[in-house]
């Protein structure tokens, strides 16, 4: 209650429900709570709100003076039906929303502002990397962890009252190209009722990103990291989606999602577009509109900006900035969404060949026609190609610009900004900055463009040092959160093959809910032959046999496994 402020925005005139991008049958609509806990739709679609609440210009100005957590509470409440009397079991109270957004801000350098805005080289930079893992995904995942914990605790309390069977626990399965992993782990560590498994493609994240993940996994009993051999991020994401399509496994594990396929992730990111707009227009000569340049991989970050615009935020253009993995840039420039092989780059969090969140945008491009989206996605899954008409492309270009930035251009941009402006960019943020240069002033006004800086340079020191080589410039002081990391590369990490069955076996054996239920030891760091053998036993003989077999194998292996 102490965190509550007097609510500025009135609740929407009607409740917001959620349905799949591929089906909007009334019987399939879910509440906000159900949507957050379920994560991914059973029909492979993504959840979207039944409508987008709007904010009038007058109400917009009333939000300007709020702190960041207060602003987040206002935006989140528009989509979560806070205190609506029409709902039995009120989904979430206004005071609880305020408590969650305040709690989510505590681990940021400046909890009242979270994401500072600065001016560099004639444009603005919104720094989203002042959270616990120094990446923009902290903003959403600090929130999501608290939302999960709140709803699961509420369910446990309700079940105690009426002996109900509401969901009380959750097993999160996620894929990461680098930053989602550590941010999810930070947000979920120690959360009651939650076990978290994060997959990353072996050798395709930075050394610092892997260090962050293994350190968190070693220190947190409910957190697990899987290094997937011979894989890409898309391979890991495909395993996540396949697991959600396995109804028996999904139910058995109470699967939950923290990737941006979870609506709450996107929702939590909408706030910083409002915050950036307010801080850019605080000066006496207020601007009428701003544009945003967004380093883009999985499309969740820039999609949040699209929702902000649809809500009424005065946004001119959303610039989609990609590296060589430019599937979304090609779509907005040519109307062609064609899957290609991944190209390794110095901005690994953007090394994605299929942007999972893009389907949500296609839903709006199709004017909410789920049948059209379903046909598009069926065709894409068969042919790896999706083409839209010139009319639809023109509609898309009314909101979005797009630009590919090469590795050479990224390195040159990092060097230029450090040597000429004294500002250090990470390789992803540099992509966003460089993309601005591709457009003439009449298309994209530099002075009114805000680039989202998505991570600290210190998460990618090798690339940044390469960019500055021979210039005489240095990167600068390493943030404390990076400097204190120890080499945990040999701890807390499970090696894993690119196979859903293997992943399922690991999850069953290492899930804290099963561990507590069977009363057996919990092991990490198994040699690969033990991992493979216990997987086979788990599939063939059931969990009791598997638990016994793992214990026997530990003895036979000379206690080679590490008990924690």
């Amino acid at each position: 209650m102490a965190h509550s402020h007097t609510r500025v925005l009135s609740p929407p005139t009607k409740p917001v429900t959620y349905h799949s991008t591929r089906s909007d049958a009334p019987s399939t609509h879910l509440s906000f709570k159900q949507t957050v806990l379920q994560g991914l739709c059973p029909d492979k679609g993504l959840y979207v709100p039944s409508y987008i609440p709007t904010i009038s210009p007058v109400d917009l100005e009333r939000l300007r003076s709020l702190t960041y957590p207060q602003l987040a509470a206002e935006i989140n409440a528009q989509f979560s039906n806070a205190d609506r009397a029409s709902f039995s079991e009120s989904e979430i109270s206004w005071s609880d929303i305020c408590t969650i957004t305040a709690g989510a801000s505590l681990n940021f350098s400046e909890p009242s502002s979270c994401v500072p805005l600065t001016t560099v080289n004639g444009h603005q930079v919104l720094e989203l990397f002042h959270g616990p893992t120094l990446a923009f995904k902290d903003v959403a995942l600090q929130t999501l962890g608290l939302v999960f914990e709140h709803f699961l605790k509420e369910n446990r309390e309700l079940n105690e009252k009426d002996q109900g069977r509401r969901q009380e626990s959750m097993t999160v399965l996620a894929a990461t190209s680098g930053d989602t992993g550590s941010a999810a782990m930070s947000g979920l560590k120690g959360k009651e009722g939650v076990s978290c498994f994060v997959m990353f493609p072996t050798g395709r994240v930075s050394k610092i990103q892997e260090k962050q993940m293994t350190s968190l996994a070693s220190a947190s009993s409910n957190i697990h990291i899987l290094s997937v051999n011979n894989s890409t991020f898309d391979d890991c994401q495909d395993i996540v989606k396949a697991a959600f399509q396995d109804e028996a496994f999904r139910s058995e594990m109470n699967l939950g999602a923290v990737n941006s396929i979870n609506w709450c992730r996107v929702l939590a990111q909408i706030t910083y577009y409002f915050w950036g707009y307010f801080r850019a227009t605080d000066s006496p000569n207020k601007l009428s509109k701003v544009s945003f340049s967004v380093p883009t991989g999985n499309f969740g970050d820039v999609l949040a900006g699209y929702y902000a615009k649809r809500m009424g935020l005065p946004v001119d253009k959303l610039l989609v900035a990609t590296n060589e993995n430019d599937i979304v840039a090609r779509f907005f420039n040519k109307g062609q969404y064609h899957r290609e092989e991944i190209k390794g780059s110095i901005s690994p969090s953007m090394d994605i060949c299929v942007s999972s969140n893009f389907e949500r945008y296609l839903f709006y491009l199709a004017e909410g026609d789920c049948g059209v989206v379903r046909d598009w996605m069926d065709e894409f899954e068969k042919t790896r190609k999706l083409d839209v008409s010139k009319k639809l492309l023109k509609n898309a270009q009314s909101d979005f610009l797009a630009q590919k930035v090469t590795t050479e251009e990224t390195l040159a941009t990092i060097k230029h900004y450090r040597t000429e402006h004294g500002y250090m960019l990470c390789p992803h943020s540099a992509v966003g900055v460089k993309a601005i240069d591709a457009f003439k002033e009449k298309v994209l006004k530099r002075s009114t463009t805000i680039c989202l800086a998505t991570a600290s340079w210190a998460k990618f020191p090798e690339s940044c040092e390469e960019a500055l080589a021979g210039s005489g410039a240095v990167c600068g002081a390493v943030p404390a959160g990076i400097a204190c990391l120890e080499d945990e590369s040999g701890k807390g990490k499970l090696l894993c093959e690119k196979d859903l069955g293997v992943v399922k076996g690991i999850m069953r054996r290492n899930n804290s809910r099963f561990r507590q239920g069977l009363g057996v030891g919990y092991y990490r760091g198994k040699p690969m032959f033990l991992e493979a053998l216990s997987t086979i036993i788990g599939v063939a003989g059931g969990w009791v046999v598997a638990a016994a077999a793992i214990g026997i194998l530990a003895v036979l292996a000379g206690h080679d496994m590490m008990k924690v």
Side-chain angles (χ1 to χ4, degrees):
M1 276 297 224
H3 297 292
S4 297
H5 66 277
T6 301
R7 192 168 180 178
V8 174
L9 300 178
S10 299
T13 56
K14 58 182 179 179
V16 178
T17 57
Y18 295 86
H19 64 83
S20 171
T21 48
R22 305 188 191 189
S23 172
D24 62 351
S27 61
T28 65
H29 282 234
L30 301 182
S31 67
F32 175 72
K33 179 177 181 178
Q34 291 169 322
T35 301
V36 171
L37 293 180
Q38 188 154 315
L40 187 65
C41 301
D43 64 0
K44 298 195 291 187
L46 300 178
Y47 287 112
V48 289
S50 53
Y51 74 100
I52 300 173
T54 56
I55 300 173
S56 70
V58 172
D59 280 342
L60 186 67
E61 280 305 308
R62 295 172 65 208
L63 297 173
R64 181 179 291 275
S65 62
L66 299 180
T67 65
Y68 191 91
Q70 289 172 341
L71 179 61
E74 295 284 350
I75 300 302
N76 293 349
Q78 293 298 293
F79 290 91
S80 55
N81 304 306
D83 291 333
R84 286 192 62 88
S86 60
F87 274 76
S88 58
E89 287 186 19
S90 176
E91 294 195 311
I92 189 167
S93 70
W94 168 247
S95 62
D96 284 335
I97 287 181
C98 292
T99 298
I100 286 170
T101 57
S105 302
L106 289 178
N107 290 324
F108 283 76
S109 300
E110 295 292 338
S112 65
S113 56
C114 290
V115 290
L117 186 76
T118 187
T119 301
V120 185
N121 192 23
H123 63 83
Q124 315 255 20
V125 176
L126 188 63
E127 296 182 343
L128 305 178
F129 52 78
H130 292 279
T133 70
L134 307 180
F136 80 98
K137 295 178 182 181
D138 286 324
V139 178
L141 286 163
Q142 289 293 306
T143 299
L144 185 57
L146 292 172
V147 171
F148 281 160
E149 189 171 53
H150 169 82
F151 283 143
L152 294 174
K153 179 182 177 183
E154 179 182 72
N155 282 353
R156 284 192 292 273
E157 292 173 350
L158 290 169
N159 286 342
E160 288 177 4
K161 289 180 180 179
D162 62 12
Q163 280 68 57
R165 298 179 61 84
R166 301 170 188 85
Q167 180 181 342
E168 296 185 7
S169 61
M170 170 185 288
T171 304
V172 168
L173 177 61
T176 185
S177 54
D179 287 332
T180 293
S182 56
M185 292 174 173
S186 175
L188 296 177
K189 65 179 180 180
K191 294 295 184 287
E192 187 177 358
V194 180
S195 289
C196 176
F197 294 82
V198 176
M199 296 179 289
F200 74 92
T202 305
R204 288 182 178 267
V205 301
S206 79
K207 292 179 181 178
I208 294 296
Q209 287 174 318
E210 184 168 344
K211 253 188 196 183
Q212 284 184 315
M213 290 189 285
T214 53
S215 294
L216 284 161
S218 295
S220 308
S221 62
N222 69 322
I223 300 296
H224 318 274
I225 183 71
L226 281 65
S227 179
V228 183
N229 291 325
N230 302 312
S231 71
T232 64
F233 167 78
D234 293 86
D235 293 326
C236 296
Q237 185 80 305
D238 286 344
I239 291 174
V240 172
K241 292 177 180 178
F244 272 87
Q245 295 310 306
D246 185 332
E247 292 186 15
F249 182 71
R250 181 175 184 162
S251 176
E252 172 191 346
M253 287 282 160
N254 284 338
L255 276 186
V258 294
N259 285 99
S260 53
I261 55 177
N262 191 309
W263 163 250
C264 194
R265 270 281 305 274
V266 178
L267 172 58
Q269 292 172 190
I270 295 173
T271 300
Y272 52 68
Y273 284 90
F274 281 83
W275 182 265
Y277 167 80
F278 289 138
R279 302 294 76 82
T281 59
D282 274 339
S283 58
N285 53 338
K286 291 181 179 178
L287 307 172
S288 58
K289 283 187 176 183
V290 298
S291 296
F292 290 89
S293 179
V294 187
T296 301
N298 222 17
F299 205 76
D301 202 2
V302 72
L303 180 69
Y306 178 73
Y307 277 110
K309 183 174 183 177
R310 292 283 299 263
M311 291 179 73
L313 190 68
V315 175
D316 183 14
K317 295 292 185 181
L318 294 162
L319 172 53
V320 174
T322 75
N323 62 16
E324 289 90 343
N325 300 288
D326 62 340
I327 184 171
V328 287
R330 282 181 277 117
F331 177 84
F332 286 113
N333 288 325
K334 300 179 181 178
Q336 299 174 344
Y337 190 70
H338 294 183
R339 178 170 183 166
E340 296 180 353
E341 295 304 313
I342 283 184
K343 306 173 183 70
S345 78
I346 62 170
S347 45
S349 297
M350 297 158 65
D351 289 349
I352 295 170
C353 64
V354 175
S355 299
S356 295
N357 254 295
F358 195 63
E359 183 171 337
R360 282 192 171 107
Y361 173 67
L362 290 176
F363 171 79
Y364 296 104
L365 189 62
E367 298 182 338
D369 190 326
C370 296
V372 170
V373 177
R374 186 169 56 251
D375 290 343
W376 278 346
M377 297 313 297
D378 285 346
E379 182 66 20
F380 179 74
E381 288 164 8
K382 291 175 185 175
T383 66
R384 299 161 59 108
K385 295 181 179 181
L386 189 161
D387 298 289
V388 298
S389 67
K390 291 182 178 179
K391 178 182 177 181
L392 288 179
L393 175 59
K394 186 177 180 180
N395 290 345
Q397 290 172 338
S398 66
D399 293 311
F400 292 91
L401 300 171
Q403 181 64 31
K404 177 180 77 172
V405 176
T406 66
T407 294
E408 291 73 20
E409 291 172 322
T410 303
L411 291 168
T413 300
I414 294 171
K415 179 179 180 180
H416 174 73
Y417 270 68
R418 186 57 173 164
T419 58
E420 299 299 320
H421 305 290
Y423 192 82
M424 196 67 212
L425 293 163
C426 87
H428 307 79
S429 307
V431 170
V433 164
K434 180 60 181 176
I436 298 172
D437 295 337
F439 297 92
K440 296 180 179 179
E441 189 71 13
K442 65 179 182 180
V443 178
L444 187 71
K445 293 187 179 299
R446 190 177 191 87
S447 62
T448 62
T449 298
I450 300 171
C451 178
L452 302 192
T454 53
S456 166
W457 69 267
K459 299 190 77 169
F460 310 94
E462 296 87 358
S463 298
C464 291
E465 289 166 2
E466 178 186 353
L468 299 183
S471 68
V474 294
C475 295
V478 177
I482 297 293
C484 69
L485 284 176
E486 298 180 5
D487 185 4
E488 300 281 358
S489 59
K491 301 178 183 178
K493 179 174 65 176
L494 291 166
L495 299 179
C496 175
E497 295 307 316
K498 186 175 61 178
D499 180 85
L500 174 60
V502 173
V503 171
K504 287 162 67 174
I506 291 173
M507 291 176 67
R508 281 169 169 143
R509 288 187 306 283
N510 290 275
N511 192 306
S512 59
R513 294 189 301 123
F514 285 87
R515 182 176 79 247
Q516 293 162 1
L518 293 173
V520 299
Y522 170 48
Y523 297 95
R524 271 203 191 116
K526 306 177 187 67
M528 284 301 290
F529 84 91
L530 290 176
E531 187 65 67
L533 184 54
S534 57
T535 297
I536 294 169
I537 293 171
V539 172
W543 317 133
V544 176
V545 175
I550 292 171
I552 293 168
L553 284 169
V555 175
L556 293 176
H559 301 284
D560 194 23
M561 295 187 267
M562 296 182 293
K563 189 172 184 178
V564 297

